[in-house]
Amino acid sequence: MACFAFNGLQTVFTAYFIIFLTTHGQDLAAAGAIFSLAMVVALPCRVLWGWLGSGFVAPRLMMAGLAFGMAASAGLLGIFGHRWPLWAIAVAGMVLSATAMSWHGVLLAETARLAPDNMHGAATGGVLSFGQVGAFLLPLAYAACLSLTGSHGMGFVVCGLPALLVGLALLRGGGAQQAEPVAYSTAT
């Protein structure tokens, strides 16, 4: 579910953020510059989240934090109106990029760690395949919200909800504990 929500919100961000900025009065060059800045922020964050999740913060808590960051920044973009300052919109976009564009290492490392021996590739591939369903469905949900409301805001709010639910589920699942890999018997 985390990969579904995270990959879906990542796709929404890359597909709609520049359009969102142009509807908030930015010309295409300025919108592209803000998007580029947000993407640059994601690069060191991917390394930072992986470093933190590999020894300082339990991966489950790290992913919960990323999920809450995604949900909060998507929610902020959802409430921003034409009167909001550009810097505030840019900061929310950078937080969304720092989380929605940078979760991969933590999630895939944890998936591989929890996978049975000799199943690491199949487990990570399966998780990524399910994530592609999110990358397909959440942009459609965004487009439906835009079509129904005429506003980009509701699309960001709706597409941020799965990340919020994932964050809550990760916390509820005992985020401070390290889960042990599941042992499967190969004997028949």
Side-chain angles (χ1 to χ4, degrees), residues 5-153:
F6 297 175
N7 205 3
L9 195 50
Q10 175 184 340
T11 304
V12 165
F13 177 71
T14 59
Y16 288 105
F17 188 64
I18 290 177
I19 299 167
F20 169 78
L21 290 170
T22 59
T23 62
H24 280 78
Q26 299 306 305
D27 64 33
L28 196 53
I34 293 167
F35 179 73
S36 295
L37 178 61
M39 295 304 285
V40 166
V41 168
L43 293 172
C45 287
R46 186 177 283 212
V47 174
L48 177 63
W49 307 148
W51 178 69
L52 289 173
S54 67
F56 298 98
V57 178
R60 186 181 204 106
L61 284 178
M62 188 76 240
M63 287 187 290
L66 292 171
F68 290 134
M70 287 179 221
S73 54
L76 282 175
L77 288 175
I79 65 169
F80 283 149
H82 292 289
R83 294 187 200 144
W84 285 83
L86 179 58
W87 68 264
I89 296 171
V91 167
M94 285 187 266
V95 172
L96 186 54
S97 179
T99 54
M101 301 302 293
S102 303
W103 52 269
H104 307 79
V106 177
L107 186 136
L108 293 174
E110 187 65 357
T111 300
R113 187 185 73 79
L114 293 172
D117 289 338
N118 299 321
M119 295 294 295
H120 304 289
T124 56
V127 165
L128 286 173
S129 294
F130 192 63
Q132 290 305 311
V133 175
F136 176 73
L137 292 178
L138 287 184
L140 290 176
Y142 188 102
C145 290
L146 180 60
S147 178
L148 293 171
T149 67
S151 168
H152 288 271

Side-chain angles (χ1 to χ4, degrees), residues 147-176:
S147 178
L148 293 171
T149 67
S151 168
H152 288 271
M154 187 56 67
F156 277 114
V157 170
V158 166
C159 292
L161 286 176
L164 176 64
L165 296 174
V166 164
L168 292 171
L170 286 168
L171 284 182
R172 195 173 38 242

